Amino acid sequence: MSDAENPFDLTGRTALVSGARRGIGLAMAHALARAGADIVGVSANMERQGSDVERRIRALGRAFEGHAVDFADREAVLAFADLMSERARPIDILVNNAGTIVRAPAAEHPLDAFDRVLEVNLANQFALTQRIARGMLARGRGRVIFTASLLSFQGGINVPGYTAAKSGILGLTKALANEWTAGGVTVNAIVPGYIATDNTRALRDDPIRAQAILDRIPAGRWGTSDDLGGATVFLASRASDYVSGIALPVDGGWLGR
C-alpha cells in the first residue's frame, strides 16, 4: 500500500528517537519502524551495536543506527545535531524523548540536580530540535514530537525540576508550532499518563501512592510503553498534516477525571 493510500505509512522516512534505549522511547521507535520508518536511536548509554532496540528494529526489516549522547552535555548534543544534519538521508521525524528525573522535597532539592534536569529535559531538547528543524524547514517538510508529561499540567510532588521542564516543553511545543507549521514542519507533544517504567518505579513501589494513582485512572490500570505507539505514529504521519501545537494525552483518562 502506498503512502497516498495509507496516511499512516512511514516507508522511506527516517526517525530520530532520543531516549530510545528502553521504556517509552524504545516503544516509540518500535512503533515507527512497524509503520515503515528507519530509526536513528540515541541515548546516554546506547550501544553502538547489539542493543535491544536495534534487534527489534532490524527484526522488522528496517535500518537502525545507534548513538550514545549525554543530553546533559550541550557540546555533545550540538555535535550530534551537526552529524545528523550532514546525513545523506535527512531526519524526517524527530522524537524528543530523552529525559531524567530527580526526586527530593523542594525545600531541600539540590540546585545542581534542578539544573541538570532542565538541561536534559528542556534546554538541550531545544538545542537539538533547532538544528534538525533547520533542514526540515529548508525541505518544507518535517515532524517534531516532544514527550511532555501529566506534570506539564499539574505540580507533582518532590519533582520541582521535572515539573518545570515538562511545563516548559508544553510552551515550547506551542511556540515552535507557531513559527514552523507554515513551513511544513508540525510540532506536537505526547502526554504520557502514569506508565509502568523505571521513572515511575518509586511511585509503584509506594503502596499508598500507587493505589491512589490507580484509583484515579478511569482505564483502571497503569499504562504500558506500548500504549504510546499509536499516538507517535499518528503525529509522525500524513494523517496529522493539519495537527500542530497540540499536547495529546495518552493517560487512560487521567486528565479528564
Side-chain angles (χ1 to χ4, degrees), residues 1-7 9:
M1 181 175 289
S2 70
D3 183 53
E5 295 169 328
N6 176 11
D9 184 13

Side-chain angles (χ1 to χ4, degrees), residues 1-13 34-37 62 238:
M1 181 175 289
S2 70
D3 183 53
E5 295 169 328
N6 176 11
F8 297 96
D9 184 13
L10 299 178
T11 301
R13 306 284 195 271
R34 287 183 62 187
R62 308 312 311 166
R238 287 182 54 252

Side-chain angles (χ1 to χ4, degrees), residues 3 7 9-13 90-93 132-144 180-186 236-238 241:
D3 183 53
D9 184 13
L10 299 178
T11 301
R13 306 284 195 271
I91 301 300
D92 303 293
I93 301 157
I132 298 297
R134 287 171 184 164
M136 293 178 173
L137 290 164
R139 296 186 299 275
R141 179 174 185 174
R143 294 285 189 267
V144 176
W180 294 349
T181 304
V185 179
T186 64
S237 72
R238 287 182 54 252
D241 274 353

Side-chain angles (χ1 to χ4, degrees), residues 55-200:
R55 288 192 293 271
R56 295 193 189 192
I57 301 310
R58 293 196 184 280
L60 294 169
R62 308 312 311 166
F64 177 84
E65 62 180 77
H67 296 266
V69 179
D70 181 359
F71 271 74
D73 183 341
R74 172 67 55 82
E75 293 306 313
V77 170
L78 293 179
F80 173 68
D82 288 341
L83 179 67
M84 292 297 99
S85 298
E86 295 166 0
R87 295 179 86 253
R89 285 187 60 191
I91 301 300
D92 303 293
I93 301 157
L94 173 60
V95 180
N96 286 299
N97 177 69
T100 190
I101 191 167
V102 175
R103 299 181 186 278
E108 293 87 34
H109 204 87
L111 292 180
D112 59 345
F114 185 92
D115 290 343
R116 184 176 188 277
V117 169
L118 262 70
E119 194 76 3
V120 172
N121 292 23
L122 179 61
N124 283 334
Q125 304 282 339
F126 174 66
L128 176 64
T129 301
Q130 181 187 58
R131 295 206 176 181
I132 298 297
R134 287 171 184 164
M136 293 178 173
L137 290 164
R139 296 186 299 275
R141 179 174 185 174
R143 294 285 189 267
V144 176
I145 303 169
F146 289 97
T147 298
S149 168
L150 293 177
L151 300 190
S152 300
F153 301 92
Q154 302 170 343
I157 298 172
N158 295 333
V159 286
Y162 188 83
T163 300
K166 291 301 186 178
S167 297
I169 285 293
L170 193 60
L172 183 60
T173 297
K174 296 175 182 178
L176 299 183
N178 286 345
E179 292 194 38
W180 294 349
T181 304
V185 179
T186 64
V187 186
N188 294 290
I190 293 175
V191 185
Y194 283 95
I195 309 296
T197 65
D198 290 345
N199 274 0
T200 59

